[in-house]
Amino acid sequence: MEKETKIDEELREDSATDSKQESAKSASPPKVDQIISVIGETGRWQLRGIAIVFFISVPGLAHIFVAPFSMPKTDFWCYDEETHTNSSKNDCSSSCGKYLHDLESWQQTVITEYDLVCE
């Protein structure tokens, strides 16, 4: 019986200690990130900086996103001017002097304008 009483007392002491530690943890203020303590919370200054970076990057983004529309891959054929025939489709050969392009989807692209078929 004495053993049971000692065990009960130890369990009560452990639970009391645990509850004290939990209340101490919840009562302490939350830890502040070191960077936030230096630069401060999100305010007018940070929002202004974010807006400036966003507006400066818009023209660069426009150049990135225009490429698929101005330079789509088109089919091409090597055109032999002497025999007026076309050779195999999408074949790059160094002996070709002039390329014909498939203009079904696009009337003119950067690739068709400058014959950038093998680059």
Side-chain angles (χ1 to χ4, degrees):
M1 188 85 137
E2 262 181 56
K3 281 186 174 180
E4 291 178 8
T5 311
K6 287 183 181 179
I7 292 173
D8 288 339
E9 286 178 14
E10 288 177 4
L11 288 173
R12 284 187 210 128
E13 287 176 3
D14 287 343
S15 66
T17 305
D18 289 342
S19 65
K20 285 180 184 177
Q21 288 176 351
E22 287 177 13
S23 65
K25 286 180 184 177
S26 63
S28 65
K31 292 184 179 179
V32 178
D33 189 19
Q34 293 177 352
I35 295 173
I36 291 177
S37 66
V38 172
I39 64 171
E41 296 288 330
T42 304
R44 286 178 50 177
W45 174 256
Q46 286 81 9
L47 293 175
R48 186 176 144 229
I50 291 169
I52 289 171
V53 169
F54 174 75
F55 287 119
I56 288 174
S57 65
V58 168
L61 291 174
H63 288 320
I64 291 170
F65 289 123
V66 78
F69 299 104
S70 65
M71 294 184 282
K73 290 189 176 188
T74 57
D75 293 331
F76 61 92
W77 297 268
C78 182
Y79 180 71
D80 187 7
E81 292 181 2
E82 293 175 3
T83 60
H84 301 290
T85 59
N86 297 332
S87 65
S88 61
K89 181 178 178 181
N90 296 339
D91 182 30
C92 290
S93 64
S94 60
S95 64
C96 186
K98 183 178 179 181
Y99 291 100
L100 294 179
H101 298 273
D102 182 14
L103 302 176
E104 186 175 319
S105 300
W106 300 88
Q107 290 182 356
Q108 185 177 9
T109 66
V110 173
I111 293 172
T112 60
E113 186 175 343
Y114 296 107
D115 282 332
L116 302 173
V117 294
C118 297
E119 278 83 34

